[in-house]
Amino acid sequence: MRKRWTGLATSVVLIASALAVQGTIAAKANHVPGGSWTLFAAGDIADPDSGSDELNAALIKQGIAADPDHTRVLMLGDGAYPDGSLATYDREYGKAGSWGDFRDKTYPVPGNHDYGTQMTSSNSGYRQYWNARLAEMEAAGGNTMSDQGGWYSFDLGNWHVIALNWACGNTTQISCKEDGPQAMWLDADLAKATTAGKHIIAMWHGARFFSQNDNGGAGTPAGPSTDSGKTNILWKKLQAAGADIVLGAHHHNYERFDRMSVEQPAGAPVEDKQGQVDPNGMRQFVVGTGGGGLHKFTSHPDAVGSQARVDNSYGVLKLVLHENTYEWQFLSSGSPGEQPAGTVLDSGCDSTHLNPGICGAGGVTTTTQPGGGGSTTTTQPGGNVDPNRKGYWMVGADGKVYAFGTAQKFGDAGLTPGTSAVDLEPTPTGGGYWVVDDAGGVAAFGDAVYRGSPDSLTLKGDEKVTSLSSTQTGKGYWMFTNKGRVLTFGDATHFGDMAGKPLNAPVLDSIVTPSGKGYYMVAGDGGIFSFGDAKFYGSMGGKPLNKPVQSLVPDSDGVGYWLVASDGGIFAFDASFRGSMGGKPLNKPVTGMVRYADGYLMVGEDGGIFNFSSQQFLGSLGSTPPSRPIVSVAALG
């Protein structure tokens, strides 16, 4: 593999960052082929006991400033606590530095608190505060100006956004039925959108699907089926029209779902109502993280189709809408105790139902399988993968990434103070990468998807993460620790580890076998530990070394491997010796090595590259050393 472990911190962080959104936003008011629009979305926002709404607002303002003509905001209900009155909206939502600063770019939907703390039949405060926007939407064919209205739609390029009123039921006197005015209006609106060939987003306050959480701290967890009576009819109509996304809130946390249908799978209990994953359904995002007190997920199993959950951070969802794809990022607000503002805690990309496109530079599209399965990452033919591409990346202890050749830089990892980056792992397509720190925080860029990190109870004492390896599908990864422990995320399989066994030296590196059905670990004394279908060819364990071993790299034919020490010495086991730096002067120690064509590539702490292969040298940092030591090198292709 690639790296050297540098142990700095004992704190454990949960970072899930970063899809680097590429592409210039270039759309005008209506439809511009090839153009893109950016949306920021959240609900449950302005709480007098929280300053997180202002921090979220600051993130949104940065996005608007970057492209004010093509950036809009979706307010997913419960904009002002506790009661949604006009006075509360003016005082909380409208205070300087909060979301009222971009009211002219915001499209709202009403939430339950917008009808008062006891869900009355009036949302007059909400309607008065949003009068200018709602009057505009009424004039365009919506029904927004009465207590029992609250639905409208608008276009952004070739996308059609539908705002609906979730607060139906006896107390609000809004019909939830199929022959009610909202459902009938939706039928007509969807007919127009589908005739025009639009991609469709729907938004309302509640969440049709959600994992159990404390939902207000009352101690009674909310179940994943309680919203079905309000939204099943709407969901079915939207799915029949080919809608792509549903946005909701109400639960004060973040949760992303697979494409979902409300239809129950065969044999499911009648009372379950969790629906099922359906490639023809909509992807749901629950974004109740605008500023109201957070709701924690319980120990109950995750809801069917749940793919990502965050309950310890306020934040906003950023959606970038392209011609036939969309990308998402959930951004941390940077509130006290959270990751730095703008840290990406969840990210990804998907294609639309109509004229599906291809996501990312690697030609990767998120698809789904019918039944109970989750997302599947599929490499599409005709993508942008160049079989002749050549390049490599390095990453410093500060998370800064350097790219050479045709390797693309997608972003730097924002690290929590006290942690150090330890490894960079490319995705199988080369269209992205993960950066992992010594506390197990993961930053995901390009088409890399965050699959999880260890929590505060996982790493013990002075245990630290030292490396990360991807599965063959890119849908999971292994983390390896200095104690020889293996942590699995996504579709990674555990084949065994050295947990609880005595080690003469810490484990510093790991590598997965070509089949993906095993892995090696190497310790600083040159000891090798093989699991699954990884074959043992020998080690330096128990033998004298001038300097500690830093990395293990399998031979290109999958038989044998090389070890490299920090002085550049190479130890070959059933692999051809290509050369070494042993006995030669080095400005800085070697910190990592990676297989490169028919040989290998070493990197020093100063970013110097030593190439022992037939592949072309593509550059280094040797003449311009980085501010922090280089800890990892990874090859493209």
Side-chain angles (χ1 to χ4, degrees):
M1 209 174 174
R2 304 155 286 277
K3 37 89 29 239
R4 185 183 75 169
W5 171 59
T6 53
L8 292 178
T10 58
S11 61
V12 176
V13 294
L14 174 63
I15 302 177
S17 53
L19 171 70
V21 175
Q22 306 294 319
T24 302
I25 298 173
K28 279 299 181 185
N30 292 310
H31 177 60
V32 179
S36 299
W37 285 82
T38 298
L39 296 175
F40 290 93
D44 307 286
I45 296 168
D47 189 323
D49 297 325
S50 169
S52 298
D53 54 322
E54 291 103 317
L55 295 174
N56 279 329
L59 288 176
I60 296 172
K61 289 175 186 177
Q62 292 175 13
I64 292 173
D67 192 350
D69 290 338
H70 312 113
T71 304
R72 299 292 183 266
V73 180
L74 306 181
M75 197 286 286
L76 303 178
D78 285 1
Y81 285 95
D83 57 13
S85 66
L86 178 59
T88 302
Y89 259 101
D90 284 337
R91 183 181 66 250
E92 303 299 337
Y93 194 97
K95 64 180 178 284
S98 192
W99 290 48
D101 291 354
F102 37 82
R103 176 164 46 167
D104 61 329
K105 293 188 178 296
T106 302
Y107 293 85
V109 292
N112 52 298
H113 282 267
D114 292 316
Y115 282 88
T117 57
Q118 301 300 319
M119 281 286 284
T120 69
S121 60
S122 176
N123 66 353
S124 59
Y126 163 87
R127 287 187 292 105
Q128 291 175 71
Y129 185 81
W130 293 105
N131 180 73
R133 175 64 75 201
L134 298 180
E136 174 193 351
M137 294 296 97
E138 177 98 2
N143 183 337
T144 63
M145 301 303 288
S146 71
D147 292 317
Q148 282 70 54
W151 46 88
Y152 60 90
S153 64
F154 59 96
D155 290 337
L156 295 174
N158 67 331
W159 288 79
H160 185 67
V161 183
I162 301 173
L164 297 170
N165 191 340
W166 169 83
C168 64
N170 294 333
T171 57
T172 61
Q173 301 176 23
I174 299 170
S175 174
C176 300
K177 297 180 179 179
E178 187 161 7
D179 60 355
Q182 179 168 232
M184 294 179 68
W185 174 89
L186 180 60
D187 285 335
D189 189 73
L190 288 172
K192 294 176 183 177
T194 54
T195 298
K198 300 288 187 181
H199 306 307
I200 298 170
I201 298 174
M203 63 174 181
W204 56 69
H205 177 60
R208 170 57 183 88
F209 304 103
F210 56 92
S211 294
Q212 291 194 358
N213 60 83
D214 57 28
N215 199 18
T220 303
S225 61
T226 57
D227 210 53
S228 59
K230 289 187 175 184
T231 55
N232 270 16
I233 290 170
L234 304 177
W235 195 280
K236 290 178 180 179
K237 291 178 181 294
L238 288 161
Q239 181 168 345
D244 295 291
I245 302 169
V246 171
L247 303 174
H250 188 59
H251 304 279
H252 297 191
N253 45 49
Y254 170 82
E255 189 165 17
R256 169 172 55 84
F257 282 80
D258 207 332
R259 300 183 184 186
M260 299 294 293
S261 166
V262 298
E263 299 295 338
Q264 289 295 101
V270 174
E271 68 278 4
D272 182 66
K273 297 184 173 63
Q274 291 197 60
Q276 61 183 310
V277 174
D278 184 344
N280 297 314
M282 291 88 74
R283 182 180 297 280
Q284 181 191 262
F285 296 87
V286 183
V287 198
T289 51
L294 295 173
H295 296 160
K296 297 293 186 179
F297 293 110
T298 70
S299 60
H300 291 74
D302 302 331
V304 171
S306 178
Q307 294 183 318
R309 292 159 301 284
V310 178
D311 65 1
N312 61 352
S313 182
Y314 296 97
V316 294
L317 177 68
K318 179 181 179 181
L319 286 173
V320 181
L321 310 177
H322 300 299
E323 188 75 3
N324 296 305
T325 63
Y326 62 93
E327 299 170 89
W328 67 84
Q329 296 176 307
F330 178 60
L331 307 176
S332 168
S333 72
S335 296
E338 295 180 4
Q339 307 309 322
T343 298
V344 183
L345 304 179
D346 180 45
S347 62
C349 180
D350 203 352
S351 61
T352 55
H353 289 303
L354 180 66
N355 302 320
I358 295 174
C359 286
V364 173
T365 299
T366 301
T367 59
T368 59
Q369 302 296 330
S375 291
T376 300
T377 303
T378 307
T379 302
Q380 302 288 348
N384 299 321
V385 177
D386 179 0
N388 298 313
R389 60 192 178 170
K390 300 174 183 177
Y392 40 85
W393 297 272
M394 344 174 160
V395 64
D398 56 0
K400 188 171 183 180
V401 174
Y402 307 88
F404 300 87
T406 59
Q408 181 179 352
K409 178 174 178 176
F410 297 98
D412 299 320
L415 302 178
T416 297
T419 65
S420 175
V422 293
D423 199 8
L424 181 150
E425 172 76 352
T427 62
T429 67
Y433 47 74
W434 296 273
V435 177
V436 64
D437 66 36
D438 55 5
V442 175
F445 298 87
D447 65 6
V449 176
Y450 172 74
R451 302 293 179 181
S453 293
D455 61 26
S456 59
L457 301 178
T458 300
L459 300 181
K460 310 292 185 181
D462 61 351
E463 185 176 21
K464 302 182 188 303
V465 170
T466 59
S467 60
L468 181 149
S469 292
S470 173
T471 62
Q472 285 187 313
T473 65
K475 293 170 57 184
Y477 41 74
W478 293 271
M479 283 188 200
F480 300 83
T481 79
N482 61 322
K483 302 294 187 182
R485 200 146 61 102
V486 177
L487 309 176
T488 58
F489 300 90
D491 65 355
T493 299
H494 194 277
F495 297 108
D497 61 18
M498 297 298 292
K501 300 173 184 177
L503 298 173
N504 294 323
V507 169
L508 300 183
D509 197 15
S510 62
I511 193 72
V512 175
T513 61
S515 70
K517 297 180 180 179
Y519 39 72
Y520 296 96
M521 290 186 275
V522 60
D525 65 348
I528 299 293
F529 312 103
S530 54
F531 299 91
D533 66 358
K535 294 183 178 180
F536 180 76
Y537 296 101
S539 77
M540 295 301 294
K543 300 176 184 178
L545 297 172
N546 293 326
K547 294 292 182 179
V549 167
Q550 296 295 327
S551 288
L552 178 151
V553 174
D555 194 354
S556 57
D557 62 6
V559 177
Y561 41 73
W562 300 282
L563 306 183
V564 64
S566 60
D567 63 354
I570 291 289
F571 309 99
F573 297 90
D574 281 87
S576 299
F577 178 76
R578 301 287 184 178
S580 79
M581 296 301 294
K584 300 175 184 177
L586 299 174
N587 293 327
K588 292 290 181 179
V590 168
T591 60
M593 185 170 74
V594 67
R595 185 172 66 241
Y596 195 53
D598 55 355
Y600 39 82
L601 194 74
M602 302 180 202
V603 66
E605 281 187 356
D606 59 354
I609 289 289
F610 309 101
N611 180 16
F612 296 92
S613 77
S614 61
Q615 191 83 284
Q616 179 184 1
F617 171 76
L618 297 172
S620 75
L621 299 176
S623 61
T624 55
S627 58
R628 294 289 306 279
I630 295 298
V631 297
S632 173
V633 62
L636 173 67

